[in-house]
Amino acid sequence: MESLFDAWGKKNPEWEKKYAELLMEPFTDYGRGTSQYTVSRGKIFGAGYEMFIIGFFIGLYFDKTRKLPDDKSKRKDFGHPIMFWGSQEGKLKLGRTSYKKIQEYMFAALVAKTDIDFISLEKGEISVNDAANSLKHKMEEYANYGFHYLEDMLEDDSNSLFKESAFLKIFTSFISEDNKEEDEVENFVEDIESFEDGELEDDSIDEEAMRTEAEKPWNEDDIERLTLFFDHGMELNKLAERLGKSLYAVQYQLSLLGKIKMPLNVTVKNTEQGGIVVNKSGQVIYTDEAPLKIFNDKIYRFNKKSACMTVKDIKRVDGEWVKGSKMLVAYPDSELYPKLTSSNFIDDIEDFVEGSKREENKIKVKGVWYDYYGDVLGSKR
C-alpha cells in the first residue's frame, strides 16, 4: 500500500489567483523556474511554490487557516507536485536544492494538525488518497492565511516586503514574540514564588496522584491509537487531547513503549541517616537507610557494609516507590571495594550504566570503570 507521505507528495496544492499579481510575480520567478538570472532580476524567491511555503509557515505559526474560494476559476496550482519541489523528476536544476527536509517538516506538521482517523486509515476504511487530500486542503488553507497576512502588510505599507530581509524579519519577529511570552511566564513564576507557602497549599499539584493515574493500564485500542498518532508526528499535547488522557499519562505510556525517555522529575538528598527522594512539589516520596544517587534518569541505592557493597535500583511498583533488584555486588576481595572510602563513599561514585543483562552493568568510581563483580572492567576474575 502506498504510504501517506508518498500520496501527499503527489498532490499539487492550489492557491488564490489574486495573489499571482500581488505576491508571485513581484517576489518570485513564477512561471519561469529558478535560474542563474534570478538574483539579477531582483527576485527574492525562485519558483512560485517557495512563496507558498512561506505562506504555509506563517499560517502554521499562527495556527490559523483561510478557506480557498469555492469558485474553481479563482484558483491556480503550480503544475508541480510537492514531491518535486526543489527538483524536477529527481534531477536538480540549476540554482535549486532539494526540499526533502522541508517536505518532511510540512508533512509532520500537517499530520499533527489535520483531523484524520488513522485507525480507520490503517484498517482500510478510508483510502490513503482521501487522507492525503485532507492534508493538502489543510496545507492550502494555512498558506492562504499566510498570503492574507502578507496582503495586510502590503496594504499597511506597500513597500514593506520590498525591503531587504523583509521576509526574514517576519519570522524573527515570531521568535521575539515567543521570547517575550517566555519572559512574561518567568515573571509570573517569580510572582507566584514570592507568595507565602501557606497561600499556595490549596493549589499545589499532587504529583504522586498524577503518577498513580498515569500508571493505570490502557486498553489495546488506546495504545494502538497512541502509537499511530505518535509515529505520524502528532504533538504530545494534541495527542493527549485526542485520546482524552493527561499529558503525564501519554508520556508515561510512550516511555513504556520505548518511544521517549520520560524525565524522572525528582531529586535525591543524602544525610547521615540515609537517602530521601523528593518530587518537584517538595513531597518526600521515598526514604532509605542507604545513600542514593541518580544516574541516567534512574535512582540507585548504594549500600556499603562490612560484607560487601551492593547497588540496587529504586522504582515504582503498583503505585509505590520500592527497593528493586540487585544491580551490582562488590565483595571485600574485589578491586572496587577497597577503593571506597569509609565516609562519604557515595561522592566517589561518578556513574552507573546498565547493560543488556545484569552481569553487564558497570560502575565508575574515581575515573575507573568496574564490572558487576567490582573488578576493573576488562580484567578477568
Side-chain angles (χ1 to χ4, degrees):
M1 185 176 71
E2 184 180 40
S3 72
L4 182 56
F5 179 83
D6 289 340
W8 169 76
K10 294 177 181 178
K11 301 300 178 182
N12 192 356
E14 295 181 307
W15 45 280
E16 285 194 60
K17 273 186 177 180
K18 69 177 184 178
Y19 293 119
E21 183 178 353
L22 185 70
L23 298 173
M24 296 296 181
E25 293 174 5
F27 301 106
T28 79
D29 275 319
Y30 173 68
R32 300 188 186 97
T34 304
S35 74
Q36 67 267 43
Y37 302 112
T38 299
V39 176
S40 66
R41 287 198 299 267
K43 304 295 185 179
I44 297 174
F45 301 108
Y49 53 73
E50 294 181 358
M51 177 62 77
F52 185 95
I53 291 171
I54 292 293
F56 168 82
F57 279 109
I58 291 174
L60 181 66
Y61 172 80
F62 288 107
D63 198 14
K64 290 185 178 180
T65 57
R66 189 179 178 89
K67 286 187 64 177
L68 292 176
D70 293 331
D71 186 352
K72 286 279 189 179
S73 67
K74 295 183 178 180
R75 303 186 195 179
K76 289 181 70 71
D77 63 49
F78 298 109
H80 205 52
I82 300 166
M83 64 188 294
F84 294 143
W85 287 5
S87 63
Q88 180 69 33
E89 297 177 349
K91 298 179 181 179
L92 298 181
K93 278 193 171 182
L94 182 62
R96 287 188 184 166
T97 55
S98 174
Y99 284 359
K100 189 69 174 178
K101 283 295 181 185
I102 292 179
Q103 292 170 23
E104 291 173 355
Y105 295 150
M106 296 173 81
F107 175 78
L110 288 167
V111 168
K113 297 291 188 178
T114 308
D115 190 14
I116 296 175
D117 188 343
F118 287 100
I119 299 297
S120 297
L121 178 63
E122 191 78 1
K123 293 179 178 179
E125 296 172 358
I126 61 174
S127 70
V128 173
N129 186 59
D130 287 342
N133 279 330
S134 295
L135 297 180
K136 180 179 84 79
H137 294 154
K138 178 67 75 172
M139 183 183 191
E140 291 167 341
E141 291 178 355
Y142 272 133
N144 201 36
Y145 177 84
F147 286 173
H148 178 68
Y149 178 89
L150 296 174
E151 182 182 26
D152 282 347
M153 286 186 63
L154 289 171
E155 285 182 359
D156 292 338
D157 180 359
S158 60
N159 293 316
S160 59
L161 297 181
F162 291 87
K163 298 173 183 176
E164 187 177 359
S165 303
F167 288 89
L168 176 61
K169 288 178 180 178
I170 290 173
F171 287 96
T172 55
S173 71
F174 296 164
I175 297 172
S176 299
E177 288 174 10
D178 287 344
N179 290 339
K180 181 180 179 181
E181 290 176 2
E182 290 174 3
D183 291 339
E184 290 172 353
V185 170
E186 290 176 1
N187 291 336
F188 177 74
V189 170
E190 290 174 359
D191 290 340
I192 289 294
E193 290 175 344
S194 68
F195 293 152
E196 294 181 0
D197 292 342
E199 294 181 41
L200 295 175
E201 283 182 1
D202 293 339
D203 296 327
S204 62
I205 299 173
D206 188 342
E207 291 191 20
E208 294 311 294
M210 291 174 60
R211 287 181 188 268
T212 301
E213 181 65 26
E215 290 164 0
K216 290 181 179 178
W218 287 28
N219 62 48
E220 292 183 4
D221 286 343
D222 282 345
I223 291 177
E224 184 179 1
R225 293 171 67 201
L226 170 70
T227 303
L228 280 172
F229 292 155
F230 180 80
D231 289 347
H232 281 85
M234 185 177 290
E235 297 175 359
L236 295 190
N237 59 338
K238 295 289 185 182
L239 202 161
E241 182 179 343
R242 181 73 66 87
L243 295 175
K245 304 284 187 179
S246 70
L247 178 60
Y248 200 108
V250 164
Q251 291 174 320
Y252 180 75
Q253 288 299 322
L254 287 172
S255 69
L256 292 182
L257 295 170
K259 293 186 175 293
I260 66 170
K261 189 171 184 180
M262 189 171 183
L264 193 55
N265 288 327
V266 300
T267 56
V268 298
K269 298 179 182 179
N270 293 306
T271 67
E272 293 181 358
Q273 288 71 41
I276 61 173
V277 180
V278 182
N279 67 20
K280 294 297 182 182
S281 298
Q283 297 171 284
V284 176
I285 56 178
Y286 177 81
T287 61
D288 201 296
E289 68 276 9
L292 308 169
K293 215 162 188 178
I294 295 176
F295 293 112
N296 306 307
D297 261 343
K298 193 169 181 180
I299 309 169
Y300 294 98
R301 172 187 189 270
F302 300 87
N303 192 20
K304 183 173 182 288
K305 301 179 290 187
S306 58
C308 62
M309 192 279 286
T310 59
V311 181
K312 294 185 177 182
D313 60 347
I314 306 300
K315 54 189 178 183
R316 283 178 66 84
V317 178
D318 296 330
E320 298 290 334
W321 292 89
V322 298
K323 189 186 309 180
S325 54
K326 187 185 296 182
M327 311 295 288
L328 182 144
V329 56
Y331 292 99
D333 60 350
S334 68
E335 295 175 288
L336 170 60
Y337 190 90
K339 302 295 183 182
L340 300 171
T341 57
S342 56
S343 60
N344 296 326
F345 75 93
I346 192 70
D347 296 334
D348 297 333
I349 300 172
E350 299 170 351
D351 201 356
F352 188 86
V353 176
E354 294 185 38
S356 57
K357 54 184 180 180
R358 186 176 65 175
E359 287 72 18
E360 295 177 354
N361 295 347
K362 58 183 180 179
I363 188 171
K364 186 179 183 182
V365 177
K366 296 181 178 178
V368 179
W369 284 100
Y370 298 86
D371 62 18
Y372 173 81
Y373 300 101
D375 293 326
V376 174
L377 202 61
S379 65
K380 296 184 176 179
R381 291 179 61 79

